[in-house]
């Protein structure tokens, strides 16, 4: 079999590796216009805390994606070592003065090693009138560290990369036996999928090696230590296509994060980044058949629309998508 994976971000990369794992004799090619640091994945902090807006076709499937993803990241960390693959354990606090629901996450509370209500003393760790809080232990995957390891493994397994701009998915009809579409926001134009909405995120990466714990506050405020510094965020601007750094957002992020953790004042900036999260409700992981010029339907498995949870959940949706590949090849998927 000759598989094509369209998209060079975290979803495309994890899907390609899952294909190689399940179809060892197949040829797998990743086709993309943008790679590595040019992708939205490179902006993400990568903490395993799926957004409340992340949803599959059913609650049962959504939960399975999340559980499979956590098991994958944790297994990879144990097998390969944290520094090599960019996956580590991380604990954090969630604080809110608005609602107790904002510090809960039912989908992961039973998966993570620890997820509990904070004590009264812990509510005073960060300045502010905090009324509700949770403490949790989770994982973090730094895409900029994981990506070179994953690409090396993909190549070692016989995979190949092709840099190419694809405007219509049927352009690939003669190149592959089956195509995995992992283009994220690109599917909005390539497929005319108007359920896809960009959610703009801006972050600041700073040097603050003394910060070892993640902190979340109200108004999309977060501080997340990683392999390449500490991520300060953020913004969540619905239906925004602005990829430029906004000085007003930068000021707001710094002020909110420094109010939450005063020791960040004066921390050196490493870089500022903007990404457009590809939000879709529900996340699309399904098979579709396209008419072609030679009459034989083109088989495509879609895997996109993860929003802010791409790095978090990609191994789970990849596993599900590859199952759909088997169904499509065996004839269990129909026109």
């Amino acid at each position: 079999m000759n598989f094509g994976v369209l998209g060079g971000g975290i979803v495309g990369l994890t899907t390609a590796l899952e294909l190689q794992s399940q179809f060892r004799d197949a040829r797998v090619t990743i086709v993309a216009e943008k790679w590595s640091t040019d992708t939205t994945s490179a902006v993400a902090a990568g903490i395993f805390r799926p957004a409340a807006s992340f949803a599959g076709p059913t609650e049962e499937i959504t939960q399975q994606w999340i559980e499979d993803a956590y098991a994958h990241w944790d297994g990879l960390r144990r097998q390969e070592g944290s520094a090599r693959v960019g996956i580590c354990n991380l604990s954090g606090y969630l604080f809110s003065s608005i609602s107790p629901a904002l510090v809960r996450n039912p989908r992961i509370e039973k998966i993570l090693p620890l997820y509990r209500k904070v004590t009264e003393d812990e509510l005073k760790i960060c300045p502010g009138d905090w009324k509700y809080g949770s403490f949790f232990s989770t994982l973090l995957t730094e895409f900029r560290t994981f990506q070179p390891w994953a690409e090396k493994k993909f190549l070692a397994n016989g995979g190949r990369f092709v840099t190419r701009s694809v405007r219509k998915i049927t352009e690939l009809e003669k190149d592959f036996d089956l195509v995995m579409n992992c283009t994220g926001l690109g599917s909005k134009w390539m497929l005319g999928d108007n359920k896809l909405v960009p959610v703009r995120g801006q972050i600041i990466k700073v040097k603050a090696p003394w910060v070892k714990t993640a902190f979340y506050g109200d108004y999309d405020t977060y501080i997340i230590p990683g392999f390449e510094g500490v991520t300060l965020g953020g913004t969540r601007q619905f239906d925004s296509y602005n990829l430029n750094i906004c000085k007003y957002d930068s000021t707001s992020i710094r002020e909110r994060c420094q109010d939450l953790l005063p020791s960040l004042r004066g921390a050196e900036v490493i870089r500022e980044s903007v990404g457009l999260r590809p939000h879709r409700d529900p996340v699309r992981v399904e098979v579709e058949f396209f008419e072609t010029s030679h009459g034989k339907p083109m088989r495509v498995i879609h895997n996109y629309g993860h929003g802010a949870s791409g790095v978090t959940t990609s191994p789970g949706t990849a596993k599900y998508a590859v199952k759909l590949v088997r169904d499509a090849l065996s004839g269990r998927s129909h026109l």
Side-chain angles (χ1 to χ4, degrees), residues 23-40:
F23 296 89
R24 296 189 179 275
D25 295 328
R27 184 180 188 184
V28 183
T29 303
I30 300 179
V31 180
E33 185 177 3
K34 296 180 179 180
W35 303 97
S36 60
T37 56
D38 290 329
T39 65
T40 301

Side-chain angles (χ1 to χ4, degrees), residues 291-302:
E291 293 184 2
T292 64
S293 58
H294 52 77
K296 185 179 179 180
M298 178 184 177
R299 294 172 291 196
V300 175
I301 308 294
H302 299 294

Side-chain angles (χ1 to χ4, degrees), residues 35-229:
W35 303 97
S36 60
T37 56
D38 290 329
T39 65
T40 301
S41 304
V43 182
I47 190 170
F48 193 92
R49 183 176 172 256
S53 59
F54 177 81
T58 68
E59 186 59 36
E60 181 181 6
I61 290 174
T62 305
Q63 189 64 32
Q64 191 63 57
W65 288 349
I66 293 171
E67 291 178 9
D68 287 345
Y70 184 85
H72 176 88
W73 289 130
D74 195 39
L76 195 57
R77 176 189 63 83
R78 294 173 185 269
Q79 293 164 16
E80 300 290 339
S82 293
R84 189 177 180 197
V85 292
I87 306 168
C88 65
N89 291 312
L90 181 67
S91 295
Y93 285 98
L94 302 166
F95 294 122
S96 177
S97 59
I98 300 172
S99 167
L102 297 180
V103 299
R104 299 291 303 274
N105 194 325
R107 287 178 176 161
I108 62 173
E109 288 179 17
K110 294 181 180 180
I111 301 174
L112 301 185
L114 178 64
Y115 203 112
R116 63 166 174 80
K117 183 179 179 180
V118 300
T119 65
E120 287 297 321
D121 285 341
E122 286 175 313
L123 282 174
K124 302 172 185 176
I125 289 175
C126 294
D129 184 25
W130 306 116
K131 295 180 175 64
Y132 316 103
S134 294
F135 178 80
F136 64 102
S137 294
T138 188
L139 297 170
L140 178 136
T141 302
E142 185 94 61
F143 177 74
R144 289 171 182 251
T145 305
F146 169 76
Q147 173 249 336
W149 175 88
E151 289 187 354
K152 184 178 179 180
K153 181 178 181 181
F154 174 71
L155 291 172
N157 290 340
R160 68 185 186 117
F161 296 101
V162 173
T163 301
R164 174 178 172 183
S165 175
V166 177
R167 300 306 174 200
K168 293 184 178 180
I169 206 161
T170 50
E171 293 175 22
L172 303 175
E173 63 180 89
K174 296 180 181 178
D175 298 324
F176 305 105
D177 298 312
L178 185 145
V179 171
M180 311 291 284
N181 173 32
C182 307
T183 54
L185 194 60
S187 289
K188 185 175 183 69
W189 296 280
M190 186 173 65
L191 302 175
D193 187 346
N194 290 319
K195 286 188 176 182
L196 267 170
V197 179
V199 180
R200 181 181 179 274
Q202 181 170 320
I203 60 96
I204 304 172
K205 191 79 79 170
V206 300
K207 288 184 180 179
W210 58 90
V211 179
K212 306 294 185 183
T213 304
F215 295 92
Y216 285 82
D218 291 325
Y219 314 115
D220 206 35
T221 302
Y222 52 85
I223 300 162
I224 304 173
F227 288 82
E228 296 186 339

Side-chain angles (χ1 to χ4, degrees), residues 307-320:
S309 303
V311 174
T312 294
T313 61
S314 58
T317 62
K319 184 176 181 179
Y320 187 86

Side-chain angles (χ1 to χ4, degrees), residues 216-285:
Y216 285 82
D218 291 325
Y219 314 115
D220 206 35
T221 302
Y222 52 85
I223 300 162
I224 304 173
F227 288 82
E228 296 186 339
V230 178
T231 300
L232 310 183
T235 64
R236 199 173 298 269
Q237 296 158 351
F238 192 81
D239 209 16
S240 172
Y241 292 84
N242 179 18
L243 281 168
N244 297 314
I245 301 295
C246 172
K247 63 180 181 180
Y248 303 108
D249 288 334
S250 296
T251 300
S252 173
I253 291 168
R254 287 300 295 249
E255 289 181 351
R256 284 184 282 122
C257 290
Q258 289 169 179
D259 287 346
L260 186 60
L261 199 64
S263 67
L264 289 170
R265 288 191 172 89
E268 180 184 345
V269 174
I270 299 172
R271 64 175 176 270
E272 296 188 67
S273 304
V274 173
L276 304 182
R277 308 173 180 104
H279 173 72
R280 189 183 192 275
D281 187 9
V283 178
R284 191 180 189 191
V285 189

